Amino acid sequence: MKYKPHEYQTYATNFILEHPISAVFLDMGLGKSVITLTAIFDLCLDSFLIRKVLVIAPLRVARDTWPTEIEKWDHLKGLNYSIAVGTEAERKSALMKTADIYLINRENVDWLVNKSQLPFDYDMIVIDELSSFKAYGSKRFKSLRKVRPKVKRIVGLTGTPSGNGLMDLWAEIGILDMGERLGRFISHYRSSFFTPDKRNQQIVFSYKPLPGAEEEIYRLISDITISMKSTDFLKMPECIINEVQVQLSDKEKKIYETMKRELVISLEGQEIDAGSAASLSNKLLQMANGAVYAEDGSVVHIHERKLDALEDLIEAANGKPVLIAYWYKHDLERIQKRFPVTKLDTTASIKAWNKGEIPLAIIHPASAGHGLNLQSGGSTLIWFGLTWSLELYQQTNARLWRQGQASDTVVIHHLVAQGTIDEQVMKTLKKKDNTQSALINAVRANLK
């Protein structure tokens, strides 16, 4: 296919070429792969500044999306790649081949650096989904940071740079610039820009930015950062966000409130322990959905209110394809028992969905989060259970609400159990989005 770049795509490619360190915050659907590949082609085969490129991405994105993009565009002809996924033997074989680009899934970064016994001689790294390196205590972060000084150029790609707040940025920017802008240590970053928010005596659960901290952080990273939102550059379909209120009975509310108040309750003879705040939140989300895991792993059923609401929405779709997002395994099992859904977890099922062959599909946000194009199969998404993760939430929505969506309107329903933690999750997602939007706006590219 002949590549006819939009003005913003040319701008972004040139930004990568002109900045050895670049954080490219591209909204979903803007074509970050082809933008980056165009720059790689220039660096490898035109200017000869780069010899070997390592692309780190989610598994299916490394295995399917990047190879498809390389083969898709005429102007990338001559760019060779090798896919280093699979067994250890398969990965080693792929990494020992002669190629311009080596594609590896992020789970194997630690193996590549510390266990493969192969030389780390890449002079350029592309991190597709920079947000997956926000955990500075993870093996992948520590491993990549160890070899980062060997690399001449690095590009970080993501649409959600601060999905869970500004604290994420320290690791993400630090893996790119080795701590030059936001400091080499998380403790210094935290003390410079944040103050304790929620705490229990000496234990701090969360931090909030100091006055003026957001603006200062954006200023510090602005020289290596380019940011673009799809709504600024693409003709996007209208996106309708709908909250479907689900009412619990008095008996169901009492069970829920007792659990919330006492943390431990006995349901149907099974003890359910929620001794920590995180565990309690997890239990309450499950209960809002209609079932909860007991301590022995069995499932205690509480209500079918969301299943009933889901049935109404499916019926109202009147035959149009519907995609359902679930969170817990027992939600999946209950939905499968009631509806003839197809789980989108294989290449074949995803192709069938995009061909319009699947009227009712279900997917987990963690597997739908990055790189999957599902917009050809439908325009209706229903969140059966909610997630605290803004990143997974936005990325899952963007599987349908993106460039190439045939429908003029994408409808995203949320099943919200009234009087439950569901309402807090919806508010928190919106609140986090304000921080996200502030970051995007602060470093938005000026295309004048």
Side-chain angles (χ1 to χ4, degrees):
M1 184 181 295
K2 186 171 177 57
Y3 182 50
K4 297 179 181 178
H6 297 282
E7 184 182 359
Y8 75 84
Q9 290 177 314
T10 299
Y11 183 95
T13 294
N14 289 336
F15 187 89
I16 293 172
L17 291 173
E18 294 164 7
H19 294 78
I21 301 172
S22 51
V24 184
F25 300 159
L26 292 178
D27 212 354
M28 289 73 80
L30 288 178
K32 61 184 178 182
S33 300
V34 69
I35 286 170
T36 309
L37 284 167
T38 303
I40 290 174
F41 185 95
D42 185 291
L43 292 167
C44 287
L45 302 182
D46 280 349
S47 59
F48 303 106
L49 294 174
I50 294 298
R51 184 178 56 89
K52 290 179 69 175
V53 181
L54 179 69
V55 175
I56 303 167
L59 175 59
R60 280 187 288 188
V61 178
R63 186 189 64 202
D64 302 328
T65 304
W66 280 81
T68 299
E69 287 292 301
I70 295 171
E71 295 171 4
K72 177 179 179 181
W73 303 107
D74 294 346
H75 75 294
L76 299 178
K77 190 174 183 180
L79 203 57
N80 299 314
Y81 66 90
S82 184
I83 308 172
V85 302
T87 65
E88 183 173 18
E90 290 170 335
R91 296 196 300 270
K92 276 193 172 184
S93 175
L95 291 169
M96 292 171 68
K97 291 179 181 177
T98 301
D100 304 304
I101 300 174
Y102 296 84
L103 302 159
I104 194 167
N105 55 307
R106 58 199 180 192
E107 292 81 5
N108 281 316
V109 171
D110 178 56
W111 168 83
L112 174 62
V113 174
N114 298 315
K115 302 169 186 174
S116 69
Q117 298 182 324
L118 296 172
F120 195 93
D121 56 352
Y122 306 94
D123 40 19
M124 179 175 180
I125 293 176
V126 176
I127 305 174
D128 190 352
E129 280 318 323
L130 181 62
S131 57
S132 63
F133 281 79
K134 65 189 177 188
Y136 52 84
S138 66
K139 288 183 179 180
R140 71 179 68 156
F141 177 86
K142 292 177 179 178
S143 300
L144 193 60
R145 185 170 63 173
K146 185 167 77 173
V147 294
R148 170 63 185 88
K150 300 180 180 181
V151 180
K152 291 193 296 186
R153 285 180 170 268
I154 189 165
V155 180
L157 305 171
T158 187
T160 50
S162 60
N164 290 300
L166 293 169
M167 198 67 76
D168 290 349
L169 285 177
W170 179 82
E172 295 173 19
I173 297 299
I175 203 70
L176 301 180
D177 72 353
M178 294 180 283
E180 180 181 342
R181 286 160 185 80
L182 299 182
R184 293 183 58 204
F185 304 101
I186 182 65
S187 57
H188 292 173
Y189 176 67
R190 190 184 294 130
S191 62
S192 297
F193 299 108
F194 299 86
T195 186
D197 185 13
K198 297 176 182 177
R199 64 191 303 168
N200 181 6
Q201 295 181 345
Q202 299 303 313
I203 302 174
V204 179
F205 296 111
S206 63
Y207 292 83
K208 62 183 178 180
L210 290 165
E214 290 187 38
E215 293 75 12
E216 179 61 12
I217 291 170
Y218 303 153
R219 186 191 67 78
L220 288 170
I221 67 173
S222 62
D223 64 314
I224 61 167
T225 307
I226 182 175
S227 177
M228 298 175 175
K229 292 183 78 70
S230 57
T231 49
D232 293 340
F233 302 104
L234 300 177
K235 187 180 182 302
M236 297 286 285
E238 182 183 3
C239 184
I240 297 175
I241 302 294
N242 183 37
E243 293 184 26
V244 179
Q245 299 296 323
V246 175
Q247 296 275 2
L248 304 186
S249 69
D250 290 341
K251 180 182 177 182
E252 293 156 0
K253 285 180 184 176
K254 186 175 181 181
I255 295 173
Y256 180 90
E257 288 300 326
T258 302
M259 180 71 174
K260 182 179 179 181
R261 183 176 62 251
E262 299 180 4
L263 302 189
V264 177
I265 189 174
S266 180
L267 292 176
E268 298 180 3
Q270 298 288 341
E271 188 177 79
I272 300 169
D273 186 2
S276 68
S279 178
L280 174 61
S281 167
N282 195 36
K283 297 292 187 187
L284 294 179
L285 282 170
Q286 292 181 57
M287 294 172 73
N289 290 352
V292 63
Y293 286 117
E295 291 306 304
D296 64 359
S298 63
V299 178
V300 179
H301 294 272
I302 300 170
H303 64 82
E304 296 194 353
R305 305 297 177 179
K306 285 197 175 185
L307 289 170
D308 294 340
L310 179 59
E311 184 173 336
D312 292 340
L313 290 174
I314 293 170
E315 185 176 344
N318 201 25
K320 288 179 61 179
V322 172
L323 180 63
I324 304 165
Y326 76 96
W327 195 255
Y328 299 102
K329 187 178 179 181
H330 58 62
D331 290 339
L332 171 64
E333 292 169 349
R334 291 185 301 127
I335 292 169
Q336 288 176 322
K337 186 175 180 180
R338 186 149 168 180
F339 305 99
V341 295
T342 299
K343 191 177 179 184
L344 300 187
D345 58 355
T346 65
T347 302
S349 62
I350 292 168
K351 284 183 179 178
W353 164 263
N354 280 325
K355 288 180 180 178
E357 297 172 356
I358 298 176
L360 193 57
I362 191 165
I363 198 162
H364 194 283
S367 62
H370 303 296
L372 294 183
N373 297 322
L374 303 176
Q375 70 272 20
S376 298
S379 59
T380 301
L381 172 63
I382 302 173
W383 283 87
F384 183 85
L386 303 177
T387 172
W388 290 104
S389 172
L390 175 68
E391 178 185 351
L392 291 181
Y393 173 74
Q394 290 183 331
Q395 292 277 0
T396 302
N397 290 345
R399 297 314 104 207
L400 299 187
W401 188 51
R402 64 191 294 119
Q403 188 180 25
Q405 171 59 251
S407 175
D408 293 331
T409 306
V410 171
V411 181
I412 301 175
H413 299 290
H414 307 77
L415 300 182
V416 179
Q418 280 191 330
T420 73
I421 197 171
D422 279 355
E423 296 177 334
Q424 294 170 266
V425 174
M426 287 302 300
K427 288 179 182 177
T428 302
L429 287 172
K430 293 172 185 175
K431 185 179 178 182
K432 286 181 180 178
D433 193 34
N434 291 335
T435 303
Q436 180 72 39
S437 298
L439 172 60
I440 296 295
N441 292 331
V443 293
R444 182 172 295 172
N446 184 350
L447 298 183
K448 295 180 181 178

